[in-house]
């Protein structure tokens, strides 16, 4: 029998701000103080997604735990969990398929991070850079430019606490929010 | 069909020192010589210097002193983007009472593109927002300055000898400072390749002053060179620590090999240039002085004087079969223009790229003047030109569409290229109005100009 993973099981912790216009499908857990803008898409097809605290997911960002390209959805694949740590920023229009993302990373606008990339902490993937190698990006690496040049910075990017506080105050004034559902319960 | 409007589709021939083919949008028109000019047959002169990020104008003398760099703006040594100044609040002890600490602002430079900061190379945060940043000094500065002084003196002496020889030959009552009075503006003084560089000579002492004899020690050759470190072959290379060639060569004074020694440099100034026709010495293009303004004081571009041919639609072209191509002709001036087309004759030396035979309309085409107020004038009667519908497809204010017949002669894969001559009348409004002897005559006379036009129509239909 083919298992189709469409458990609509979205757990949103208290303190997270998730706009109703965002599209969240599958088994997704969102931690407190995380802001998900409208039109952001978080899609858990081939396994669950766990998002930590203090993350900022901007408009048209796509976080997808999808099937690798050479495997059809029908065959039996073990579902892998995608984990995203704390204080990460997913800027407008980026695509992230990385299975493991640490803390304090910034994925800039229209960047594309592949499935086999592991971001440790303090990494910055520059705008429009496509990283689809099979590697662990060391800490505090900056990838920038059309040739995806790399350099190491001495300090990690600061967590966007000011921006998060501002958004958590302002967004509810203009958008409806998805209801928070504690882990273990189902939305009635 | 925007590909038909690409600039390289229709090119005009420029008969200058070199024969060039370029699109009309890239050409200039000297209305005193009544000829097309391209960037290669005009002389380029520096008009003014400005910084591209703070848009501050800088007089040329100051620019030379600062080595053509801005005083306020810095370039990232890593990615060459402009650096921005950021501020942080740091607790610092008050000068009056060392036990209490107050929040003070500290400034550092940061790059928004590659996230380089001035703290990466160990530059301390400054307490002022601008003016606190210093470039590191070149250790060879003194030696280079001494060499420059010595060679300046030498050049000055050579120039004096040259002047003396010239005066002796001419035997005329010319003022003593002959070559200094007529500086680098006239064509006689322009640098010829291989000749002596007289620009250094102008910067030295005046003629009457006593000149100190400057002597330099020749450079000494060393026998021993610093040996390589012992772990040169065994040490692992950390690639983020090594500078790229481009980063290294942008700082030719130091050429640091390690990324921790890359200091930011002041931003290079850009310059505005003016163009001058080489034959008649008139300015063809002179920009405005203000760096924020994109307008021109003098702008003699070809598109505002010469009728422009554009391709409108191309049918399927087949080898040795006649097809009709629709072209448009636009009149840029405000007076009525008469245009005659002629195919290139056999053995025309300009026609080297043509791969097809072309049959152009034989009758004269009349173009209405460009009238800027035409769309607002509702009562205007449309001018009746009595166009032949076989030749003129449509007419719209100062533009007409007309047909030409093309017969491709070559069966290769390359594009079909046709060329023809276009002859139009040009009224030179810049020429001085001479009082005519025959009574009331038109003040401006029309001159007939002929241009060679080539069109690239695309490949044959398979």
């Amino acid at each position: 029998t083919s298992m189709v993973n469409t458990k609509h099981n979205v757990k949103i912790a208290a303190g997270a701000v998730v706009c109703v216009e965002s599209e969240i499908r599958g088994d997704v857990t969102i931690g407190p103080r995380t802001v998900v803008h409208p039109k952001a898409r978080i899609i858990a097809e081939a396994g669950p997604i766990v998002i930590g605290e203090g993350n900022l997911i901007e408009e048209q960002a796509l976080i997808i735990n999808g099937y690798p390209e050479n495997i059809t959805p029908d065959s039996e694949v073990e579902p892998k969990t995608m984990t995203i740590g704390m204080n990460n920023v997913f800027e407008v229009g980026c695509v992230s398929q990385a299975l493991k993302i640490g803390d304090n990373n910034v994925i800039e606008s229209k960047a594309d991070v592949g499935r086999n990339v592991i971001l440790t902490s303090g990494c910055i993937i520059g705008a429009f850079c496509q990283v689809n190698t099979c590697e662990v990006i060391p800490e505090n690496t900056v990838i920038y430019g059309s040739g995806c040049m790399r350099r190491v910075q001495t300090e990690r990017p600061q967590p966007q606490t000011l921006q998060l506080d501002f958004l958590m105050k302002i967004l509810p004034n203009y958008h409806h929010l998805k209801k928070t559902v504690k882990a273990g319960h189902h939305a009635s | 069909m925007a590909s038909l409007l690409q600039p390289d589709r229709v090119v005009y021939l420029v008969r200058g020192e070199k024969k060039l083919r370029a699109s009309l949008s890239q050409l200039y028109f000297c209305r005193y010589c009544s000829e097309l000019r391209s960037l290669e047959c005009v002389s380029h002169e520096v008009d003014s210097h400005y910084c591209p990020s703070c848009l501050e104008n800088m007089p040329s003398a100051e620019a030379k002193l600062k080595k053509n760099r801005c005083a306020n703006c810095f370039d990232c040594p890593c990615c060459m983007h402009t650096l921005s100044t950021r501020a942080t609040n740091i607790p610092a002890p008050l000068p009056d009472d060392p036990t209490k600490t107050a929040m003070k602002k500290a400034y550092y430079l940061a790059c928004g593109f590659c996230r380089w900061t001035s703290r990466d190379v160990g530059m301390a945060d400054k307490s002022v927002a601008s003016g606190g940043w210093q470039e590191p000094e070149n250790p060879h500065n003194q030696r280079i300055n001494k060499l420059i002084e010595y060679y300046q003196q030498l050049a000055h002496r050579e120039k004096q000898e040259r002047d003396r020889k010239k005066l002796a030959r001419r035997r005329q009552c010319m003022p003593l400072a002959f070559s200094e009075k007529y500086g680098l503006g006239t064509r006689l003084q322009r640098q010829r390749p291989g000749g002596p560089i007289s620009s250094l000579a102008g910067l030295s002492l005046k003629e009457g002053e006593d000149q100190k004899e400057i002597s330099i020690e020749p450079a000494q050759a060393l026998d021993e060179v610093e040996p390589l470190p012992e772990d040169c072959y065994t040490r692992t290379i950390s690639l983020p620590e090594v500078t790229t060639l481009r980063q290294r060569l942008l700082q030719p004074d130091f050429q640091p090999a390690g990324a921790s020694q890359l200091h930011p440099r002041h931003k290079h100034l850009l310059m505005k240039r003016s163009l001058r026709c080489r034959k008649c010495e008139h300015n063809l293009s002179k920009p405005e002085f203000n760096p924020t303004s994109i307008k021109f004081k003098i702008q003699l571009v070809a598109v505002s004087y010469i009728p422009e041919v554009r391709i409108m639609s191309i049918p399927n072209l087949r080898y040795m079969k006649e097809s009709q191509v629709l072209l448009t002709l636009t009149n840029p001036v405000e007076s009525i223009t008469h245009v005659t087309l002629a195919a290139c004759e056999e053995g025309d030396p300009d026609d080297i790229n043509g791969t097809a035979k072309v049959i152009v309309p034989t009758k004269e085409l009349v173009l209405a003047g460009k009238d800027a107020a035409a769309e607002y004038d509702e009562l205007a009667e449309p001018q009746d030109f009595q166009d032949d519908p076989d030749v003129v497809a449509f007419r719209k204010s100062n533009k007409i569409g007309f047909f030409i017949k093309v017969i491709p002669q070559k069966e290769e894969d390359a594009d079909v290229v046709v060329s023809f001559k276009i002859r139009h009348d040009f009224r030179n409004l810049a020429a001085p109005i001479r009082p005519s002897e025959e009574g009331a005559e038109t003040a401006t006379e029309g001159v007939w100009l002929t241009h060679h036009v080539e069109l690239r129509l695309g490949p044959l239909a398979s």
Side-chain angles (χ1 to χ4, degrees):
Chain A
T1 55
S2 61
M3 293 275 289
V4 186
N5 235 348
T6 50
K7 274 188 283 190
H8 196 79
N9 198 354
V10 179
K11 306 179 202 70
I12 303 176
V17 173
V18 180
C19 296
V20 129
E21 294 90 345
S22 63
E23 180 187 334
I24 308 187
R25 280 197 274 138
D27 187 356
V28 178
T29 312
I30 299 182
R33 295 198 77 234
T34 295
V35 176
V36 179
H37 279 74
K39 295 299 180 185
R41 293 162 58 205
I42 308 177
I43 299 176
E45 264 181 351
I49 298 182
V50 177
I51 302 182
E53 299 187 4
N55 294 299
L56 177 58
I57 304 169
E58 294 189 355
E59 288 86 345
Q60 297 190 356
L62 170 61
I63 302 178
I64 177 166
N65 187 356
Y67 296 103
E69 276 150 23
N70 50 356
I71 298 179
T72 56
D74 287 341
S75 57
E76 297 279 334
V77 186
E78 205 183 287
K80 286 194 200 160
T81 310
M82 176 188 277
T83 28
I84 298 179
M86 303 189 343
N87 295 328
N88 297 300
V89 178
F90 295 84
E91 285 192 14
V92 174
C94 69
V95 176
S96 167
Q97 298 182 351
L99 278 179
K100 200 163 163 354
I101 298 182
D103 307 330
N104 291 70
N105 299 300
V106 177
I107 304 186
E108 286 188 7
S109 304
K110 296 222 176 196
D112 193 329
V113 183
R115 191 174 167 86
N116 297 318
V117 178
I118 296 182
L119 295 177
T120 45
S121 45
C123 301
I124 300 185
I125 314 281
F128 207 64
C129 290
Q130 283 141 12
V131 187
N132 40 24
T133 49
C134 181
E135 65 173 311
V136 176
I137 310 254
E139 284 195 15
N140 292 342
T141 308
V142 180
I143 300 182
Y144 66 96
S146 55
C148 285
M149 311 249 327
R150 296 189 181 194
R151 54 174 292 274
V152 178
Q153 52 176 7
T154 47
E155 40 185 49
R156 47 170 56 182
Q158 296 161 337
Q160 303 275 5
T161 33
L162 273 178
Q163 173 84 335
L164 281 173
D165 288 338
F166 178 74
L167 285 172
M168 284 168 64
K169 246 191 318 175
I170 294 284
L171 271 180
N173 291 343
Y174 297 96
H175 296 276
H176 292 290
L177 304 178
K178 289 200 186 198
K179 287 204 169 55
T180 62
V181 177
K182 289 213 190 94
H185 298 254
H186 290 280
S188 51
Chain B
M1 294 299 271
S3 57
L4 291 178
L5 295 173
Q6 293 295 316
D8 53 343
R9 287 282 191 154
V10 179
V11 289
Y12 284 64
L13 175 70
V14 177
R15 291 185 186 88
E17 295 158 6
K18 285 188 266 184
K19 287 204 175 176
L20 272 179
R21 282 163 174 75
S23 150
L24 202 64
S25 53
Q26 294 157 354
L27 295 176
Y28 296 84
F29 181 69
C30 181
R31 59 182 182 183
Y32 306 93
C33 310
S34 300
E35 275 175 19
L36 281 174
R37 297 265 176 256
S38 75
L39 279 178
E40 307 245 349
C41 42
V42 294
S43 58
H44 302 237
E45 295 163 0
V46 172
D47 206 50
S48 61
H49 299 270
Y50 68 99
C51 170
S53 69
C54 61
L55 290 178
E56 184 197 335
N57 206 330
M58 209 181 266
S60 309
E62 197 185 332
K64 215 171 199 171
L65 211 64
K66 297 222 175 97
K67 302 208 195 295
N68 286 336
R69 288 186 187 264
C70 177
N72 308 324
C73 308
F74 285 90
D75 267 347
C76 174
C78 189
C79 65
M80 297 92 206
H81 186 63
T82 313
L83 289 176
S84 47
T85 312
R86 300 227 183 116
T88 54
N89 280 322
I90 51 161
L94 283 172
D96 307 331
D97 197 349
T99 51
K100 292 199 203 129
T101 55
M103 298 304 279
K104 214 167 54 143
K105 272 207 183 302
Y107 299 94
Y108 63 98
L109 294 170
C111 171
F113 188 58
C114 68
R115 312 265 176 155
W116 180 94
T117 63
S118 58
R119 296 169 176 168
D120 285 352
V121 282
M123 287 168 73
D125 296 351
K126 302 279 185 276
S127 47
V128 278
S130 61
W133 305 100
Q134 301 289 335
E135 271 186 30
E137 217 191 84
N138 187 356
H140 306 290
N141 247 348
Q142 276 193 350
R143 168 90 174 143
I144 292 180
N145 283 339
K146 214 165 173 216
L147 284 173
I148 290 181
E149 271 180 34
Y150 174 71
Y151 282 111
Q152 267 181 8
Q153 204 194 43
L154 205 59
H156 185 71
R157 230 181 271 156
E158 281 183 9
K159 191 186 73 156
Q160 278 182 325
E161 282 180 22
R162 243 187 307 135
D163 283 349
R164 230 175 285 139
K165 278 191 208 155
K166 270 196 202 149
L167 287 175
R169 256 189 279 139
R170 277 177 183 259
R171 291 186 189 278
Q172 282 175 24
C173 289
M174 280 281 206
L176 252 180
F178 168 58
S179 33
E180 270 191 47
K181 192 169 178 183
Y182 298 99
L184 280 174
T186 59
R187 294 159 63 198
L188 300 168
Q189 293 288 332
R190 224 168 268 167
Q191 280 181 22
R192 267 164 230 95
I197 300 175
S198 52
S199 55
L200 275 181
L203 299 171
S204 62
L205 315 160
K206 296 193 189 63
E207 279 197 46
E209 279 182 34
D210 268 347
Q211 288 157 356
K212 265 192 310 185
E213 278 292 328
I214 305 177
S215 63
I216 48 166
E217 307 142 9
Q220 289 176 340
L222 296 169
D223 257 343
E224 287 181 11
V225 187
E226 253 183 56
L228 285 173
E230 279 175 10
D231 57 353
C232 177
Y233 293 110
T234 53
R235 184 179 48 183
T236 49
I237 297 180
S238 155
L239 271 182
E241 288 290 314
V242 181
T243 53
T244 67
L245 260 187
R246 185 155 186 245
Q247 290 166 354
R248 219 178 279 191
L249 295 176
L250 274 177
Q251 313 208 2
D253 307 356
F254 305 98
Q255 296 185 32
S260 49
Q261 287 137 25
L262 276 177
H263 286 267
R265 292 208 70 175
H266 285 283
K267 207 166 177 59
H268 247 302
L269 298 175
L270 294 182
M271 61 161 170
K272 289 196 173 194
R273 70 174 167 189
S274 55
L275 300 171
R276 195 184 283 272
C277 173
R278 284 205 186 131
K279 284 197 193 147
C280 65
E281 300 291 328
H282 277 105
N283 257 331
L284 292 178
S285 159
K286 198 167 163 73
E288 278 200 11
F289 187 69
N290 191 358
T292 53
S293 161
I294 57 166
K295 295 191 187 165
F296 288 85
K297 281 185 199 153
I298 301 174
Q299 193 184 20
L300 299 179
V301 282
V303 279
S304 34
Y305 293 97
I306 312 282
E308 190 178 359
V309 177
R310 283 195 185 183
I311 306 175
M312 188 150 176
S313 77
I314 309 178
N316 285 331
L317 299 166
R318 292 185 206 286
Y319 176 57
M320 288 308 211
K321 295 237 171 19
E322 189 181 276
S323 342
Q324 249 191 4
V325 175
L326 179 59
L327 304 177
T328 59
L329 196 59
T330 314
N331 180 16
V333 294
E334 286 164 354
S335 53
I336 294 185
T337 308
H338 307 268
V339 177
T340 322
L341 302 167
C344 291
E345 293 159 22
E346 288 286 323
D348 190 350
D350 293 333
D351 186 12
I352 47 175
N353 291 331
T355 60
K357 224 166 55 163
V358 60
I359 302 172
V360 289
T362 45
K363 280 194 265 200
E364 193 181 66
L365 302 165
V366 183
L367 299 169
K370 185 162 90 160
D371 191 3
E375 50 180 314
Y376 304 110
D377 196 358
E378 290 154 3
L379 299 171
E381 288 156 16
Q383 293 162 307
D384 192 11
F385 284 104
Q386 284 165 355
D387 298 320
D388 181 357
D390 287 335
V391 169
V392 175
F394 64 88
R395 179 180 287 275
K396 187 179 168 187
S397 64
N398 64 332
K399 183 160 78 162
I400 64 163
F402 63 99
F403 295 106
I404 60 168
K405 297 184 177 58
V406 172
I407 308 165
Q409 303 284 309
K410 294 200 184 145
E411 211 182 354
E412 313 160 331
D413 266 342
D415 286 342
V416 176
V417 177
V418 297
S419 46
F420 53 83
K421 306 265 191 259
I422 171 172
R423 184 169 175 261
H424 68 101
D425 60 339
F426 164 65
R427 267 180 187 71
N428 192 358
L429 300 164
I433 299 173
R434 281 175 300 233
S436 138
E437 293 137 16
E438 286 140 37
E441 265 241 3
T442 49
T444 52
E445 313 161 345
V447 180
W448 288 96
L449 300 176
T450 310
H451 307 287
H452 175 92
V453 183
E454 279 178 17
L455 291 91
R456 203 157 57 84
L457 296 176
L460 290 169
S462 48

